[in-house]
Amino acid sequence: MEIYKDSSGALVIKGSLTVSHIESAHTKIEPLLDETIHDMVLDLSAVDDIDISGLQLLYAIKKSAESEGAFSIRAISPQVKEHVLLSGFNTILKEGV
């Protein structure tokens, strides 16, 4: 899994956001949140797998960002979109879905 800020300031997540990777993802994302919290833009175009723990992490990021400013999803992979729709998270993660 790779997590970084790109040149536009968006938080890019590549790889798997599943229960076996979620702790590592949270550890990598937490310091980046402090830098981008006022205008959080996520790029999920390279996420190849996600489960409920990954969806919960996305929701937690959204709630943190919205408490301080704005949140949006710039891009989303077909795999993530499918899981968001099937789980009903599309009503929560309206941005980009």
Side-chain angles (χ1 to χ4, degrees), residues 5 7 13-14 17 29 31-32 58 72 77 83:
K5 281 179 37 177
S7 60
I13 303 174
K14 293 183 176 184
L17 279 178
I29 289 171
L32 297 173
L58 295 179
S72 63
S77 70
H83 282 71

Side-chain angles (χ1 to χ4, degrees), residues 33 37-38 40 58-69:
L33 285 178
I37 196 71
H38 297 292
M40 173 62 65
L58 295 179
Y59 180 66
I61 293 169
K62 173 184 167 71
K63 293 301 285 181
S64 293
E66 287 180 338
S67 71
E68 299 289 330

Side-chain angles (χ1 to χ4, degrees), residues 18-91:
T18 58
V19 70
S20 58
H21 299 99
I22 212 67
E23 188 174 341
S24 172
H26 185 269
T27 301
K28 292 176 181 178
I29 289 171
E30 193 168 24
L32 297 173
L33 285 178
D34 293 335
E35 299 172 16
T36 58
I37 196 71
H38 297 292
D39 189 19
M40 173 62 65
V41 178
L42 287 181
D43 184 330
L44 306 173
S45 61
V47 175
D48 54 26
D49 194 17
I50 193 167
D51 64 11
I52 192 67
S53 60
L55 293 171
Q56 289 171 334
L57 178 63
L58 295 179
Y59 180 66
I61 293 169
K62 173 184 167 71
K63 293 301 285 181
S64 293
E66 287 180 338
S67 71
E68 299 289 330
F71 172 83
S72 63
I73 298 174
R74 175 174 70 189
I76 188 167
S77 70
Q79 297 88 338
V80 172
K81 186 170 186 170
E82 178 182 9
H83 282 71
V84 167
L85 293 173
L86 288 173
S87 67
F89 266 70
N90 57 312
T91 59

